[in-house]
Amino acid sequence: MMKYNWFTNSSARVVLVAAVVLLMQGCGFVKSKFGGKGGKGGEVGVTNGEVTATGRKGWKQPTPYGMVLVPSGSFVMGQADEDVAATQINMNRQVTISSFYMDDAEISNHEYRQYVNALLADSVATLGEEEIMSKYYPDTTVWKNDFTYHNGDPMLEHYYAHPAFDTYPVVGVSWLAAKHFCKWRTNTLDDFRSKDGGYRSFGFRLPSEAEWEWAARGGKQGAKYPWGNPYVANGKGCYLANFKPQRGNFDADGYPYTAPANAYSPNEYGLYNMAGNVAEWCRDAYADNSNAIVWDMNPDNQNADEPRKVVRGGSWKDIAYYLETGTRYYEYEDQKRSYIGFRCVMDNLEGRTASGRAGRVGGSSKSKTKASKSSKASKGRA
């Protein structure tokens, strides 16, 4: 009887040890042949007729300037509150999102101006000045055209051009122009890296609709707004975003039109104005049945034949409903509005590998986000 107990307990110990080893290996604590310093082959990859290649050295993915790391995770996408009117186009569904980097604030007038100036300096011969001004230059007339009987002259004349609005989000930019800005931003970074002998970046782009919503929630499952539930003002009565409060008291939140891109408090991921200020272009084509046609792992509905593109976040002119993290609507890709801007994202490839598991909420990514946020606060935005 004693011998049988000893054997059973020993077997249990073996099974337990094996399980712990497997668990540690799965979490990246046990190094494989690729995890160490590698064989003598080094960069060559073949030693004494055997393949000994390990990971190439010198590659590291730095956090792009002005961006924060959004960790990977899974969440229930869709409206977090009752939404009778749009229930049929915004049903809840659990999806999983890989880690990525995101601009901590909307692209500002001064940032976008660098892009326009570069096009006028370098691309007139290929694109033509007329195309640059009509397609990519912000349409300042939106401040009058978007609203009937509205005195938008001061905004038309000064919003994009005057230094007073340098740190305010750029508007009057179409989805097509925002996409082209991402391409220019990528080429600018890659040109520098190639001259410096570094690897190319993974490219800037517009966020998918699912990425945008995941980032807006800031790790708060079921959050109605980026700051949580269920109110648009704090305990002191101060509004938490720039929108249309009450029955049209636009000035009640502190700004009659837009606010600086880094106004108000950021969410838990260090992202500013994920609700209100300006609505933001997403990469996805709009579809009423998007939940039925996209996969639940990094859903992304890219359809060049669909001119309607998803817009998220609400703006300075919208009521609180459009500020909700789950509210979705659209605008046509060539349209320019005084209340739609954008921000960029970049894939985090480390977040798509086993090593990226340390980047989940509560892990090292949270400290990275805070560090990036602190660094950003000290640098300020141009």
Side-chain angles (χ1 to χ4, degrees):
M1 192 70 175
M2 291 294 293
K3 183 177 181 180
Y4 176 78
N5 287 339
W6 176 88
F7 177 78
T8 303
N9 292 339
S10 297
S11 300
R13 291 192 187 96
V14 171
V15 172
L16 180 61
V17 170
V20 170
V21 170
L22 288 174
L23 180 62
M24 292 176 67
Q25 187 173 17
C27 292
F29 296 118
V30 178
K31 292 184 178 179
S32 66
K33 66 178 181 179
F34 299 111
K37 296 182 178 179
K40 298 178 180 179
E43 291 294 331
V44 177
V46 176
T47 303
N48 299 328
E50 294 188 272
V51 178
T52 57
T54 59
R56 287 174 289 177
K57 303 184 187 308
W59 180 83
K60 184 179 180 181
Q61 185 170 6
T63 300
Y65 177 80
M67 286 189 159
V68 296
L69 179 64
V70 178
S72 61
S74 180
F75 75 109
V76 177
M77 186 176 177
Q79 281 290 0
D81 202 358
E82 186 176 11
D83 179 27
V84 177
T87 297
Q88 299 305 312
I89 65 169
N90 203 14
M91 295 177 288
N92 296 116
R93 181 188 185 188
Q94 184 164 3
V95 300
T96 300
I97 305 297
S98 297
S99 176
F100 58 94
Y101 295 95
M102 189 177 218
D103 283 324
D104 66 353
E106 300 130 342
I107 296 299
S108 69
N109 281 319
H110 201 42
E111 288 172 321
Y112 194 83
R113 190 176 296 114
Q114 311 313 309
Y115 156 69
V116 172
N117 290 344
L119 291 184
L120 292 173
D122 305 327
S123 303
V124 171
T126 55
L127 296 177
E129 185 174 353
E130 182 178 351
E131 180 176 346
I132 293 173
M133 297 303 291
S134 62
K135 288 186 177 181
Y136 307 123
Y137 193 90
D139 183 3
T140 58
T141 65
V142 294
W143 290 107
K144 288 186 68 71
N145 297 337
D146 284 346
F147 312 104
T148 305
Y149 301 110
H150 164 250
N151 181 20
D153 287 344
M155 300 297 286
L156 184 156
E157 295 175 13
H158 303 298
Y159 185 76
Y160 178 67
H162 199 280
F165 294 102
D166 276 353
T167 61
Y168 284 62
V170 68
V171 297
V173 174
S174 68
W175 180 88
L176 296 171
K179 185 178 178 181
H180 196 264
F181 172 92
C182 295
K183 182 178 179 181
W184 168 83
R185 188 177 178 184
T186 299
N187 292 339
T188 301
L189 178 59
D190 286 346
D191 287 346
F192 171 79
R193 287 190 173 182
S194 63
K195 294 176 183 177
D196 200 39
Y199 291 100
R200 294 182 60 188
S201 69
F202 304 122
F204 298 96
R205 58 176 175 81
L206 293 176
S208 69
E209 180 179 12
E211 287 174 333
W212 191 97
E213 184 173 329
W214 167 246
R217 293 181 184 275
K220 296 180 182 293
Q221 287 286 354
K224 183 177 180 180
Y225 301 108
W227 51 83
N229 295 318
Y231 307 111
V232 293
N234 60 21
K236 297 180 180 179
C238 299
Y239 286 106
L240 300 170
N242 182 17
F243 67 113
K244 179 182 178 180
Q246 303 169 18
R247 296 197 176 190
N249 186 356
F250 289 92
D251 198 49
D253 52 40
Y255 300 92
Y257 291 100
T258 58
N262 60 352
Y264 302 95
S265 297
N267 70 2
E268 290 298 316
Y269 289 159
L271 300 167
Y272 295 85
N273 288 308
M274 293 301 285
N277 209 23
V278 293
E280 300 177 14
W281 290 113
C282 292
R283 183 163 68 171
D284 298 53
Y286 180 84
D288 290 342
N289 64 336
S290 61
N291 270 340
I293 62 177
V294 298
W295 199 30
D296 51 6
M297 177 66 182
N298 291 319
D300 188 3
N301 180 25
Q302 296 189 61
N303 182 1
D305 296 327
E306 173 55 73
R308 298 177 300 171
K309 304 303 180 184
V310 173
V311 177
R312 287 297 201 110
S315 74
W316 61 270
K317 73 158 190 71
D318 293 316
I319 60 175
Y321 165 75
Y322 291 98
L323 272 61
E324 296 181 21
T325 54
T327 301
R328 61 194 303 263
Y329 50 110
Y330 67 87
E331 182 55 89
Y332 287 89
E333 61 184 23
D334 60 349
Q335 294 298 299
K336 302 178 180 182
R337 300 296 184 188
S338 62
Y339 45 85
I340 300 180
F342 70 100
R343 71 180 79 207
C344 306
V345 299
M346 177 186 284
D347 291 321
N348 173 27
L349 290 199
E350 289 182 337
R352 291 174 181 253
T353 63
S355 62
R357 295 189 178 186
R360 295 188 181 277
V361 176
S364 61
S365 74
K366 198 167 185 179
S367 61
K368 285 182 181 179
T369 300
K370 289 183 177 179
S372 177
K373 176 179 166 185
S374 300
S375 174
K376 183 68 182 60
S378 63
K379 291 181 179 178
R381 262 184 103 90

